[in-house]
Every structure is written in C-alpha cells, then in structure tokens.
Amino acid sequence: MIRELGILIALAVVVAVTALVNTLFLSGQGIRDLLLNACLVALLTVGQTMVVITRNVDLSVGSVLGLSAFVTADTFAVNPVLAIVVGLVVGALCGLLNGVLVGLGRVPSLVVTLGTLSVFRGLDFMWAQGRQINAANLPDGFLALGSGSVLGLPYLVIITVLVLAVAALHLGSYRSGRELYAIGSNPEAAVLVGIPVGRRVFTTFLMSGTVAGLAGVLAVARYGTVDATVGTGLELQVISAVVVGGVAIFGGSGTVVGAALGALLLSTIGSALEVVHIAQFWQQAITGALLIAAIALDRSVALRVAARLRRQSRGVSA
C-alpha cells in the first residue's frame, strides 16, 4: 500500500506540473487520452505481475500480442465477440508453451521466453507475409471496442479495470493466488509445505499469454492498423511498469494494482514530456532511471529485512 501511495503522489506531481504548462492536459479529452495510452501496458502487467511474483519473467508478451493482433484482424474481426475469443485462444496457446517449458520442464524462464519471443514473432511474420491491415479493412463494430465508451468511460478502460479487479481478488483472497507469493519468497520451502510449484508457475504463464492475447485484440481495435511489427519491444515497457509499480523483481511481493499504476505513471511521464516539448530520448532515460531505482530500493529493503530476521534469530537463540 505504501508503494502504491508513493506512485500516486509521483503521478499527481507530474500531472500538476504539466497542467501548469498546458491546462488542456487535465481536460476531459486529456484524461481520456492518458487512460487509453496506459491501458494496453497496464493490461499486460496483470499477467506479468503473476509471473514475476513467482521469481520468473515473461519476455514474450510483446510477440504474443503481435501474433494475436494479426491473426484476429486477418480472420475473425467481423465478429467482435469471436475476435476476443480467438485472441484469448491464441494467447493461451502461446502461454501454454511457455508454461510447459518453465513450470513443468524446469527450464529457466529467461531462456524460454527469450526463445519464444523470437518464435512467436517469426510466426507473426510468416502469417502476415508483408501485409498490413488498416481500419478500412475492419468492421465498425470491431473498431468500436477501441473507440467506444459507456457513460464516458472507454471500453478499453473498463475491460482493463475488470481484468485488474479479478486478478487482484485472486491474488489476495484465494489460496492459489497467495501461494504464488510463497513460491516467489522461497521456492524450496514452498515445495516442502506441499505447494504444487510447477503447476502454479505453469498457470501464471498461461494467464500471462491469455492476457497478452486479449491485449492483442484490443490493440487492433484501438489503433485500427496492424502489421507483423506490432508489439515489438513492448515487453520492456511492461517489465519496467511492473517493477516501478512495486513488484519485486526477485519475487515474493507486489500487487497488480501497483503494477498498473506503474504503467499509468510511465505513460503519463511520456505524455508530459511531449507536452513540454522534450525529446523522446528523455522518456527512455527516465524510464530506465526509475527501473534502476525501483530495483535498488527492493534489494535494499530485502537486505534490511534479512538482517533484521538474523538479529531476531540470534536473540531467540541467546
């Protein structure tokens, strides 16, 4: 909760300073744009958070999003509901492969997802064959997913909030969700107390792939244009948002709400820099600096907690 509060304060400072330069930054359309710009990354942080909590990482989310986006736009965009289902299935199949290799095969997630990142992107290029699908080729009903709203709230924002709420409820209120924290804190101890570590890790990768598949469908609806390069490099933004949002890169702590706020903060910083006419390079530099600072803070806290536990243990022994 403290980390989330810190992100909210930083977010408020960025918004306030930028609004002084350009009052339109806080207009109704300005706030709508800020939320929409952060939605896809915030959605991807849901699955990534679950993975990182278990001391793993999924580098393939950008490629999964791209593959799902093109397959959906090329085949089933005529029916928005069917498009979402197909996107979920494509993402789930990609997550299934990652989960089998990492959760059941015990192969390091960094190696697996670095490989599948290229595999899924290659499949995307094979399917696309150099083609690009534009808004003119997509039905209005499908594009409405990215531009429509209910009571002023865009569909993308509503979908993102719903997914976040379900994930937060699962992690906080269900045994299978809480067990992910135990796995990330101490995998060996988790095995000893009977937690099915392999199955839980498999599930996190399956969820990460499924959410990335959904994000692919929404990306097409949002931007109306898709080719084989969609989502390239997005995994780095997602991991940055997750870590800045307070999810420990070493596993065992963090929330999906914090990760989503991290995505909103980074997206808002990017928009603010554009408003004040600062080069995009500085956005990347600031993102990198925040990422390093978040990792350093998490490591510092972990070392302090470990030192305190050792002192308490010695006191009990004495």
Side-chain angles (χ1 to χ4, degrees):
M1 182 60 71
I2 295 178
R3 189 64 173 270
E4 285 85 347
L5 180 60
I7 297 172
L8 286 173
I9 293 174
L11 184 61
V13 171
V14 171
V15 170
V17 171
T18 309
L20 291 176
V21 177
N22 188 336
T23 55
L24 293 178
F25 194 70
L26 273 181
S27 65
Q29 185 60 44
I31 294 174
R32 176 187 171 92
D33 290 341
L34 287 178
L35 293 175
L36 286 174
N37 290 340
C39 270
L40 291 179
V41 174
L43 190 59
L44 289 172
T45 62
V46 173
Q48 191 72 249
T49 296
M50 293 183 176
V51 170
V52 173
I53 284 174
T54 62
R55 287 196 187 184
N56 290 290
V57 66
D58 187 356
L59 297 176
S60 69
V61 289
S63 296
V64 175
L65 179 148
L67 179 59
S68 169
F70 203 95
V71 171
T72 300
D74 196 34
T75 55
F76 296 99
V78 66
N79 186 322
V81 176
L82 185 58
I84 291 177
V85 173
V86 171
L88 291 172
V89 171
V90 171
L93 290 174
C94 295
L96 178 70
L97 177 60
N98 286 334
V100 167
L101 293 174
V102 178
L104 305 182
R106 307 291 183 178
V107 183
S109 61
L110 183 65
V111 176
V112 169
T113 58
L114 191 60
T116 54
L117 178 154
S118 299
V119 170
F120 299 151
R121 184 63 64 184
L123 291 174
D124 195 5
F125 273 98
M126 286 177 59
W127 187 293
Q129 294 292 310
R131 294 176 296 141
Q132 183 182 66
I133 299 175
N134 300 310
N137 308 119
L138 299 171
D140 293 338
F142 180 76
L143 293 174
L145 281 174
S147 59
S149 61
V150 176
L151 300 177
L153 276 178
Y155 291 142
L156 262 67
V157 175
I158 295 173
I159 293 172
T160 301
V161 170
L162 287 176
V163 174
L164 278 168
V166 172
L169 179 65
H170 172 69
L171 288 175
S173 303
Y174 289 85
R175 178 177 177 178
S176 58
R178 294 194 297 270
E179 286 177 346
L180 300 183
Y181 291 98
I183 293 170
S185 298
N186 193 323
E188 293 78 14
V191 172
L192 292 176
V193 298
I195 295 175
V197 174
R199 195 167 70 212
R200 292 287 181 259
V201 171
F202 166 82
T203 302
T204 62
F205 278 97
L206 181 63
M207 292 305 302
S208 180
T210 303
V211 171
L214 174 62
V217 177
L218 298 179
V220 180
R222 166 81 168 118
Y223 299 110
T225 300
V226 60
D227 59 21
T229 64
V230 169
T232 300
L234 197 58
E235 57 278 345
L236 298 181
Q237 296 180 42
V238 174
I239 293 172
S240 297
V242 166
V243 175
V244 169
V247 181
I249 196 66
F250 305 103
S253 67
T255 66
V256 291
V257 174
L261 288 175
L264 181 58
L265 174 62
L266 295 180
S267 175
T268 302
I269 289 174
S271 299
L273 292 179
E274 292 179 6
V275 168
V276 297
H277 305 295
I278 295 179
Q280 188 178 9
F281 161 78
W282 289 107
Q283 178 184 351
Q284 299 173 356
I286 291 173
T287 299
L290 287 173
L291 179 61
I292 293 173
I295 293 175
L297 177 62
D298 286 333
R299 186 58 178 166
S300 175
V301 170
L303 291 174
R304 289 182 181 180
V305 171
R308 185 180 303 170
L309 290 174
R310 284 196 297 269
R311 288 195 299 269
Q312 291 177 350
S313 178
R314 289 170 186 165
V316 172
S317 299

